[in-house]
Amino acid sequence: MNTTRRIGLILLLIFLLPALFFSAYEITTLNRDEATIKEIYEKQLEAILFSANQYSDDILNSWISKIEKGIEIDSNEEAVKEVKNLMLLNESIINIFKYDTLSKKLEWFSKNIPDDSVELAGAYPIVENSKPIIKQLIEFEKSGFQKVEALRLNTVEDYVALMFKPKKRPEEAQIIGIVVNPAFFIEDILGPKLQQIAQDKFAISAGRVDVGRVVYATYDSSYQAQVQEIMIKDLWLLPNYYLGIGTKGTSIETIISERTTTNLYLILSLDLILILGVVLVFRNVKKEVQLAQNKSEFISNVSHEIRTPLALISMFAETLEMGRVPSEEKKNEYYSIISKETQRLTNIVNKILNFSQMDASKKELNFKPMSLTELVNEVLNTYEFHLQQQGFTLISHTDEEVAINGDKESIMEVVINLIDNAIKYSENDKQIEVAISQSQGFALLSVKDSGVGIPKNIQKQIFEKFYRAPTGDLAKKQGTGLGLALVKQIVDLHRGKIEVKSDEGKGSTFIIHLPVS
Ligand code: ADP
């Protein structure tokens, strides 16, 4: 397995897989969490309604103990006074009666409300008819447990008689009934408590079951549309009444599902960031690995490139030194080989030096307005003889005057590198075409050959440092892999761009775009 693949696999195993497993786990548990939260919330709401019911019971118990205290007093007058006091203080108590189960006599403590007295007259038959309930109350009391039973009195206001057997005076078969106006009870007694429980967080309401009407609500009823009732429970004390609780505005379902969606998005975006990060790291690592490979190839390439001219120079110099050269003509030929090879060495060394300076941003460019046309023609003139000698046809379209703002020396380097490559990578069809033009604020310089061409898959890489085509005809040619990297660096510094159009076997065209001055 090559290094890049190995690193890719490591990244996948260390970062991506655990993260993806974790996300999958989190996403599957999100729904479960949602159900748990909902359950906890509902329990809380239930507890709130429970406490409201408990409070009503406490109130009733306090009334009962006051009444018991009253009737304990022997003097009938005093007892009545005590009970009447209770009635006076609590508007929701309409009246209180005493029912003797033996004599079947119903006696009112009387609050003296004339309208009510008519209605309350109808209470007698109802109480009379509730023998089983009364029997139960007595029995419960006997076994030490005081039960309260609510009896609806069928009045317009839906009065309820809260009946119990007093603990005191057990010898008397007496039942006490507190007649309560449920609406008043809810509003005056339970209301403040509901407000206190609800605060800003909940919306609690109490209503009448048979007519489906809200009697009291802790919120402004004009906002009712915004209140989502989640739970409804019986009001223990008053048979025909319920307590409802909900949230103001958004319902808990919405809150939970919003939370789930947010979590889902968070997990997914986290994964996306992680995947992007891993891809980015992988690409960088791949680049670095490639660079390291290119570098090591570069060393062997350069050594090879240097060794050939060095061997030639040393061989011809030795022959000359030994005086074994037969003719003056041969001597001159050897001198010219030595000089040519020395030039080749110098070129290689210069290229490397130039590249390293440019790469370390140490090279200072001297930007000046200059004629690109003039510069290119100058280079072509120097090359003309060389090209002719090697059997190349040079076609040039370099008449249009195009001016740029640039560093003359490095732009010259660009042109030379491109022409050198065109020569190097041409085989039988030896034709080079150089053209200059101007379009949309850019000077265009193109160098076209009919050589071996560049495979599509490596066209992007050829501009990388030290990169050389790894296989095929291209790899047979000698080179350092620095030429195009240097060209690109120079073009970039001139705020230009370079592109290549190439078909394998048909040739390549390198086009340089530089801003005109
Ligand atoms: P070198 O030529 O020293 O190898 P360069 O940086 O100049 O390095 O070029 C990089 C690679 O691009 C070359 O190895 C070659 O494969 C390819 N290349 C460059 N110019 C041409 C061209 N004109 N025709 C075909 N291939 C080219």
Side-chain angles (χ1 to χ4, degrees):
M1 201 191 298
N2 70 25
T3 323
T4 329
R5 273 208 195 147
R6 206 167 49 232
I7 291 168
L9 205 71
I10 291 173
L11 285 176
L12 199 77
L13 283 178
I14 296 185
F15 296 107
L16 229 44
L17 279 187
L20 292 180
F21 272 127
F22 174 73
S23 308
Y25 172 77
E26 276 294 298
I27 289 169
T28 48
T29 51
L30 269 183
N31 280 343
R32 220 183 309 151
D33 290 351
E34 196 178 329
T36 317
I37 293 173
K38 206 170 156 213
E39 201 183 312
I40 294 171
Y41 187 72
E42 278 175 4
K43 286 256 156 62
Q44 193 191 354
L45 296 186
E46 213 175 310
I48 290 174
L49 293 187
F50 184 90
S51 78
N53 264 323
Q54 193 72 53
Y55 179 76
S56 318
D57 275 9
D58 290 348
I59 294 290
L60 177 67
N61 283 333
S62 77
W63 288 354
I64 290 177
S65 61
K66 273 192 189 131
I67 293 168
E68 282 177 335
K69 219 168 117 197
I71 59 174
E72 204 181 1
I73 305 165
D74 279 334
S75 139
N76 194 40
E77 211 173 296
E78 283 296 309
V80 170
K81 207 173 136 199
E82 192 81 12
V83 176
K84 279 196 170 180
N85 252 345
L86 177 72
M87 284 194 273
L88 278 174
L89 287 173
N90 291 285
E91 215 187 328
S92 52
I93 303 180
I94 299 300
N95 220 328
I96 295 177
F97 63 77
K98 208 160 46 170
Y99 177 71
D100 194 312
T101 54
L102 298 177
S103 64
K104 302 204 182 335
K105 228 176 93 195
L106 190 127
E107 201 181 311
W108 293 101
F109 281 88
S110 177
K111 204 177 182 180
N112 295 333
I113 307 168
D115 292 348
D116 284 338
S117 57
V118 181
E119 275 193 54
L120 291 177
Y124 180 72
I126 295 174
V127 177
E128 250 297 293
N129 281 335
S130 60
K131 273 190 200 113
I133 296 176
I134 291 171
K135 214 174 133 204
Q136 227 185 28
L137 290 178
I138 294 170
E139 255 155 42
F140 266 105
E141 205 278 329
K142 263 189 206 154
S143 52
F145 173 69
Q146 188 181 46
K147 202 170 181 264
V148 178
E149 275 292 346
L151 202 66
R152 284 178 72 189
L153 297 182
N154 289 342
T155 55
V156 181
E157 304 283 359
D158 199 28
Y159 291 160
V160 171
L162 301 168
M163 302 198 295
F164 63 96
K165 166 90 178 68
K167 275 187 239 140
K168 315 289 154 89
R169 307 194 165 216
E171 69 283 357
E172 288 175 22
Q174 221 175 45
I175 294 289
I176 304 277
I178 309 172
V179 178
V180 166
N181 180 335
F184 284 7
F185 179 84
I186 291 170
E187 196 159 336
D188 293 348
I189 294 169
L190 203 51
K193 182 69 182 173
L194 294 182
Q195 283 288 3
Q196 187 200 343
I197 301 172
Q199 289 175 353
D200 282 345
K201 297 182 188 80
F202 302 103
I204 306 181
S205 60
R208 197 170 149 170
V209 178
D210 55 356
V211 290
R213 180 167 49 89
V214 173
V215 177
Y216 180 84
T218 59
Y219 48 88
D220 186 343
S221 51
S222 53
Y223 287 120
Q224 203 164 344
Q226 289 175 28
V227 174
Q228 321 254 339
E229 231 156 46
I230 293 171
M231 188 179 286
I232 286 178
K233 293 270 168 194
D234 289 342
L235 215 167
W236 301 341
L237 217 54
L238 307 167
N240 190 25
Y241 288 80
Y242 69 83
L243 283 174
I245 189 164
T247 43
K248 274 179 171 177
T250 20
S251 73
I252 186 72
E253 271 90 356
T254 325
I255 295 170
I256 295 174
S257 92
E258 270 172 9
R259 187 182 154 273
T260 310
T261 324
T262 318
N263 280 351
L264 203 71
Y265 278 131
L266 271 179
I267 292 172
L268 291 182
S269 26
L270 223 74
D271 279 347
L272 207 73
I273 292 171
L274 202 76
I275 291 172
L276 276 178
V278 166
V279 169
L280 225 74
V281 170
F282 180 70
R283 272 172 62 170
N284 270 323
V285 169
K286 197 173 149 192
K287 229 175 168 175
E288 288 302 316
V289 169
Q290 184 70 49
L291 192 67
Q293 274 168 2
N294 289 350
K295 250 183 200 167
S296 77
E297 271 165 35
F298 164 78
I299 292 170
S300 88
N301 284 337
V302 169
S303 318
H304 193 77
E305 283 245 331
I306 291 176
R307 210 166 46 199
T308 321
L310 274 183
L312 286 173
I313 292 169
S314 112
M315 187 178 85
F316 287 109
E318 255 173 49
T319 318
L320 284 169
E321 206 176 34
M322 285 174 176
R324 287 207 200 124
V325 192
S327 63
E328 208 45 41
E329 202 180 315
K330 270 279 173 224
K331 238 188 211 170
N332 282 341
E333 193 191 323
Y334 290 180
Y335 281 135
S336 114
I337 290 175
I338 290 175
S339 139
K340 216 173 84 192
E341 292 306 316
T342 316
Q343 190 54 46
R344 217 168 110 184
L345 272 182
T346 317
N347 281 348
I348 296 172
V349 173
N350 277 346
K351 204 183 225 177
I352 296 172
L353 279 179
N354 265 343
F355 172 80
S356 88
Q357 274 184 332
M358 201 66 89
D359 198 39
S361 313
K362 278 187 189 150
K363 181 137 176 134
E364 276 187 23
L365 297 185
N366 192 4
F367 286 89
K368 270 188 197 147
M370 54 175 261
S371 161
L372 181 67
T373 320
E374 228 170 72
L375 180 139
V376 171
N377 283 321
E378 208 178 294
V379 177
L380 291 184
N381 282 340
T382 346
Y383 262 87
E384 207 166 9
F385 177 68
H386 182 64
L387 285 170
Q388 260 174 18
Q389 267 200 330
Q390 299 206 31
F392 276 92
T393 317
L394 174 69
I395 305 168
S396 55
H397 307 283
T398 53
D399 303 326
E400 188 180 337
E401 175 53 39
V402 178
I404 58 162
N405 201 17
D407 176 65
K408 196 171 171 190
E409 204 182 308
S410 47
I411 295 291
M412 201 168 251
E413 185 109 24
V414 168
V415 184
I416 292 173
N417 265 299
L418 292 182
I419 295 177
D420 271 346
N421 276 352
I423 298 172
K424 191 157 73 179
Y425 297 106
S426 287
E427 296 206 307
N428 303 326
D429 202 350
K430 297 188 167 193
Q431 179 172 297
I432 294 175
E433 206 175 314
V434 180
I436 294 177
S437 62
Q438 187 171 327
S439 157
Q440 295 172 344
F442 278 91
L444 303 183
L445 162 67
S446 67
V447 179
K448 181 179 177 201
D449 62 56
S450 305
V452 291
I454 308 163
K456 286 267 178 293
N457 61 332
I458 65 162
Q459 284 183 10
K460 262 197 183 141
Q461 283 157 280
I462 56 173
F463 299 103
E464 284 170 16
K465 296 178 213 173
F466 311 113
Y467 182 83
R468 304 208 67 229
T471 51
D473 291 339
L474 289 174
K476 286 183 218 147
K477 314 276 175 182
Q478 290 195 341
T480 55
L482 291 183
L484 286 181
L486 183 66
V487 168
K488 187 166 168 8
Q489 277 174 345
I490 295 172
V491 172
D492 284 348
L493 285 172
H494 281 78
R495 294 178 200 285
K497 63 173 192 179
I498 180 164
E499 64 175 318
V500 59
K501 289 178 182 162
S502 182
D503 279 321
E504 231 182 319
K506 287 188 186 159
S508 320
T509 310
F510 285 85
I511 305 163
I512 283 175
H513 306 242
L514 296 169
V516 290
S517 75

